Amino acid sequence: MLSRAADSLYWMARYMERAENMARLLDVSYRMSLSSTDGDSEQMQWGPALVVAGCEAPFKATGKTADSRNVIEYLALDPRNPSSIRNSLGAARENARAMRTQITTEMWESLNSTWLEIRGLDYARLEERGLRAFFDWVKERSHLFRGVAYGTMPRDAAFRFVRAGTFLERGDSTARLLDVKYHVLLPTARDVGGAVDYYQWGALLRSVSAFQAYRRIYRDAIRPRRVAELLILRPDMPRSVAASLGELTRLLDELREQFGRNYRSAGLARAAFDRLRYAHIEEVFATGLHEFLTEIVDSNIAIGKAIAEDFGLPY
């Protein structure tokens, strides 16, 4: 497979997953803002979303205050923000357009119709539509694209690059989402175990579609350590870091076997996955949850760079 084709397929999937993950970040931030106390400023409520998205500095350059409207508009719709949902969907579509012969008609139609619907959307229409309804729509369109890809693509190298992009992006996003609650929004002592704390952890679980799974597995009140265990270490949770790295490791191993080369990215992914597979939640908290999550994010960045080097992709 030409590196140009692999690059477009890989980034098409990453951008689509990125749009969904940004919608999940905004959704959990919006839910948390609804439970904020009177003493919390909007800067305190919405600043963390910019930090997690990696958009704090460019947002400050706009001169706008970090209130709900400005942050949501910037992260969701601003054409000047490369990481906005709008631009991520546009970039996914452009990569798909360049690979029309490598993807199925259904995949193209799913991406193209999504782009046509969002490109004319402004904040007034978004509010009229409903913020939660918009976040759910982005997630549904991502689910549709992923389902169509899984159900229509041959299981060849192209399929593996699409899936690899999805799981690398997903693992990184889950680590960042968990960090925004535990580290950036760490509650005061009076809030720990209270109604606000419970609501915020519940909002985080719902943002990764894991609230019902938590109830079914633990059958207990929502506790930070168990939430962290569920979203970091459990390989049976579809959006956990361990599950994402496990799938990525398998895909890179298959590409290594297919092309008969010993890729560095496969080794890095295997090492990261093995660390999580044999870790215990007590070890995670002994290290420090924020520090552990930072290591995961740094590891994902290193894997992404190695994939680019192994397969000749721009990074």
Side-chain angles (χ1 to χ4, degrees), residues 6 10 32 45 50 65 79 93-94 105 109-110 120 124 148 155 157 179 183 215 218 223 241 276 281 303:
Y10 172 77
M32 287 180 177
Q45 297 168 25
L50 294 167
T65 57
R93 177 186 179 273
E94 285 305 301
T105 301
E109 289 176 349
S110 170
V148 166
R155 273 28 178 188
D179 196 31
H183 180 69
R215 289 297 199 191
Y218 295 108
R223 303 183 187 280
V241 179
L276 295 183
I281 194 60
I303 294 169

Side-chain angles (χ1 to χ4, degrees), residues 291-312:
E291 289 74 17
F292 194 87
L293 292 170
T294 299
E295 289 178 13
I296 290 173
V297 171
D298 291 342
S299 174
N300 286 340
I301 292 172
I303 294 169
K305 289 181 178 179
I307 289 173
E309 294 169 0
D310 287 342
F311 298 101

